[in-house]
Every structure is written in C-alpha cells, then in structure tokens.
Amino acid sequence: MSLFDLAPKETPSALFGRERELQELTRLIEARRWVAVLGPRMMGKTSLVRAAQRRLDRPGAYVNLWGVRSLQGVLEGLVRGFTQSRSLLSRLRSGLRRIDGISVGPAGVSVSTAARPAAAVWDVLDLVGSEKKDCLIVLDEVQELGSNSGALLRLLGNVFNSHPNVCFVFTGPMFGVIRSLLHPAITSPLYGRSPVPVELGPFDRTTAEAFLRKGTEEAGTSLTREEVATALDGPLDGTPGWLTLLGNHLTVRHLDFDRAFQTTLEEGKQVAKDEIGHFLLARDPRLYWPALKVVAQGAGWAEVRDAIGARQEARINNATVQRVLGSLVADQLVVKEGSTYRVRDPMVRAYVAGASRPPR
C-alpha cells in the first residue's frame, strides 16, 4: 500500500510514525484493558486500531459508527464485523439463529429490524463472550452514538462484568460518549472501569518531513525544501491525514504543488466545518461561535467574555463564560496556554478565522 493511499492503513508495516502508540495499544489489549484512542479527525485513529487488530490477529469485529445514531446500527455493525471471520461465524452460527432481528441461512447472516435492539446487541455480545476466547471489538467514531449513550454504557457495563475476555477499543474526539467513558459519573455502570486513553496528535516536524519525503520518493518524485516548509507551516501542520491527502493530490492526481496545497486546504476546511457543526448541534451558537472566533486568534478570558457580550448585546455573567470555555476545553477544541485560549487544531483554526457565520 502506498504511503499516500487515502484508505486507512491495515497492517503494522503500512503504518508510519506510530510505532510507539501501536506498541502501547497492543500491550494494553493483551493485558485485557479497554482503550480509548483519542484525537480529532485525520489523525490516523482508524489506521492505528486496524494495524493493532492485524498484529494481534484475534477474533472480533471492527465497527465503523460514522453516521450511526441507533443501537440497531450497532447491531448491524457487530454482526457484519463478526461474520467477516469464517472461523468465528462457524462457531456463532447456531447461537445467532436464536437472536431477535438476525437471520442465518445458506446465503449467510442478515439483520432485520429488532423489536428490542438493546437486548439484541447484548445477546450478540453475550454470545461472543461465552466463547471464552479473547475477543477484540473496535467501535470507531463512537461519539456518533451520543443520543444513545446511556443504553450503550449499560450494555458495556454488562460486558465488563460478565466477559473479561472481551476487550473494547473506542475511537473518537473527546466529547459525547468518549467523555462519558473516560469520566463516568458515580452512577455510571463503568464508574471505576474507565478505558485507558491513548491520544494521537500531529507528527512532530522531523517525522512529518520524513513522511512527505518517503511518500514522494515511492512515487518517483520529490518536494523542494520550500514546498515542505509551506506544507508544514500552515494548517496542514503535521496531521497525517492532511499530509496524506496532499501527497495523493501530488502523486496520484499529478497536481502542481500550489494547486495540491490549496485543494487540500479547502477540503480540510470543509471537514473542520463539519466538526464544528457537529459540536454546535446541542449548543447555543450565539454563545459558542463568538467565543471560537476570538479564540481562533488567541484570546484571554476577558476578551472571550466581551466577544460573547457583543453578540448578545448585553453583559454576560462570569458563569456563562466559564461554562462556554469549559466545554470548548473539555471537548479538546480549545487549549489554555497560560492565560491565553487557542483553537487547538490548525485546520479548525483556519476555518473559524475565515468563516463569517457558524455552520448550519
């Protein structure tokens, strides 16, 4: 697989610059610890967990939850994931026949609408756990299940108590379900049983340069020192996904550097727009958008308060400002450096700074 292939990497040998994180992730899974792989989009979370699955080579399922909002979708993803393994399917086949919403026939396994999807998901997980063999289940982009987080946490609590051989790896940014997993309330079924966080950040400068040079060399081309600097000094930063996209535009589409860079930047801003829109779904944009706008340039607490107040045409109390900044920091959109707040992701920062209104 080319380094600039846009598909997630599937093997440890195809993964670049993440050996330390891969070793840590596989070590934790082998120790039967649940893990939450954290980071914004385009950091390579999916590639990391898929490479770990391949290195460990144990039965289980990979479930992509992007766009999934219901436990019915989780059920479909789990069954699809488990049935990709012929040996596992042969062992599960008779048990799957007894689960509501699942049909097993000569053509394989199919899923229909379950009358009680939560019960059906539990039946599937209980069936897999009863195998008594170590099993790895990856729930990728688990934040998508925000509206069903309570039911999901109850299911996970049951698995934790009943089947220590079943190990979960979750991926996503630090909000919604991920936050509930890592910081469960005292009433949560997972209180005291939080997954171990493994956070992915951008490549450092040396690793990012090596990534670009290796990828272009594979394609029989190269970048000038100035082009490498342009790529790494702007919003692409050392983010693996953006560097991969840039490299793909250069080596597959054969765009010149300036056009490849601008195309990557525009696509990146669209992803940032979607991410901010997702964050604002359950929040008041009249409070959060002016805060983001001023923080995109770097701002202190008082400047954030004044920006929100100007939008509201009224003085904003301190508790509201603290709540807004607390949410932005907790969800890892914003970091606090000394007394200054900044948007963490350079691509998100570029989008927010250039947009005149919040995404709809």
Side-chain angles (χ1 to χ4, degrees):
M1 174 182 279
S2 165
L3 203 59
F4 291 155
D5 194 308
L6 298 183
K9 307 302 185 283
E10 297 279 348
T11 64
S13 61
L15 199 64
F16 185 95
R18 296 296 194 196
E19 183 57 34
R20 180 183 61 81
E21 292 90 345
L22 180 60
Q23 287 181 353
E24 178 68 358
L25 179 56
T26 53
R27 182 188 71 80
L28 289 167
I29 294 169
E30 288 174 332
R32 290 187 165 183
R33 286 302 304 268
W34 291 14
V35 184
V37 179
L38 307 175
R41 290 169 69 180
M42 309 303 285
M43 282 298 169
K45 301 185 295 297
T46 299
S47 292
L48 178 67
V49 297
R50 296 307 294 263
Q53 284 183 299
R54 183 64 65 89
R55 175 172 284 184
L56 291 165
D57 191 27
R58 63 177 57 180
Y62 167 81
V63 185
N64 186 347
L65 293 175
W66 186 254
V68 174
R69 301 289 190 270
S70 67
L71 291 179
Q72 176 68 30
V74 176
L75 175 64
E76 294 168 1
L78 284 171
V79 172
R80 187 164 52 248
F82 289 134
T83 55
Q84 288 175 354
S85 169
R86 291 185 178 181
S87 60
L88 184 60
L89 177 59
S90 65
R91 299 196 301 270
L92 299 180
R93 186 179 291 271
S94 60
L96 287 172
R97 286 192 174 96
R98 300 190 293 270
I99 298 176
D100 172 50
I102 298 177
S103 300
V104 181
V109 181
S110 60
V111 181
S112 58
T113 302
R116 297 166 55 216
V121 171
W122 163 248
D123 288 341
V124 170
L125 293 173
D126 187 45
L127 176 64
V128 174
S130 65
E131 287 273 292
K132 302 305 179 185
K133 296 181 179 180
D134 282 346
C135 174
L136 174 60
I137 300 175
V138 175
L139 298 183
D140 201 0
E141 304 289 0
V142 73
Q143 78 282 354
E144 294 289 289
L145 284 169
S147 61
N148 285 280
S149 59
L152 179 65
L153 291 175
R154 287 190 292 273
L155 285 167
L156 294 173
N158 288 339
V159 175
F160 193 98
N161 290 330
S162 305
H163 301 298
N165 56 307
V166 178
C167 184
F168 276 90
V169 174
F170 312 92
T171 82
M174 185 63 173
F175 63 81
V177 177
I178 287 283
R179 190 196 289 177
S180 298
L181 287 167
L182 291 176
H183 304 291
I186 196 170
T187 55
S188 170
L190 290 178
Y191 184 74
R193 305 162 180 179
S194 298
V196 179
V198 172
E199 187 168 356
L200 294 189
F203 288 152
D204 60 42
R205 184 81 177 202
T206 300
T207 303
E209 288 184 3
F211 178 84
L212 287 174
R213 296 202 183 282
K214 180 178 180 182
T216 51
E217 286 171 5
E218 285 180 346
T221 184
S222 63
L223 293 173
T224 68
R225 182 179 301 177
E226 291 75 17
E227 288 170 340
V228 171
T230 298
L232 300 183
D233 289 341
L236 275 59
D237 195 26
T239 304
W242 300 135
L243 298 180
T244 300
L245 183 58
L246 173 67
N248 192 272
H249 286 323
L250 289 167
T251 62
V252 177
R253 295 186 62 192
H254 299 297
L255 302 182
D256 64 68
F257 179 82
D258 289 340
R259 188 178 174 196
F261 180 78
Q262 289 302 319
T263 302
T264 303
L265 186 59
E266 290 308 311
E267 293 181 45
K269 287 181 179 179
Q270 184 60 50
V271 171
K273 177 181 178 180
D274 293 344
E275 186 174 341
I276 294 298
H278 201 96
F279 171 81
L280 292 174
L281 276 176
R283 295 174 173 88
D284 187 348
R286 296 172 300 175
L287 298 176
Y288 285 88
W289 183 248
L292 279 168
K293 285 291 289 182
V294 70
V295 168
Q297 309 299 327
W301 192 94
E303 293 171 283
V304 175
R305 178 199 60 203
D306 293 344
I308 298 174
R311 177 66 178 266
Q312 298 288 331
E313 298 182 350
R315 184 172 179 81
I316 297 298
N317 63 53
N318 292 349
T320 298
V321 179
Q322 198 60 43
R323 173 167 55 85
V324 169
L325 286 172
S327 294
L328 290 169
V329 171
D331 286 8
Q332 297 188 329
L333 279 171
V334 168
V335 293
K336 185 179 181 184
E337 300 171 348
S339 60
T340 301
Y341 294 89
R342 300 185 186 279
V343 172
R344 184 183 188 190
D345 186 329
M347 192 65 76
V348 174
R349 188 161 61 240
Y351 163 71
V352 172
S356 60
R357 63 185 66 183
R360 297 178 180 178

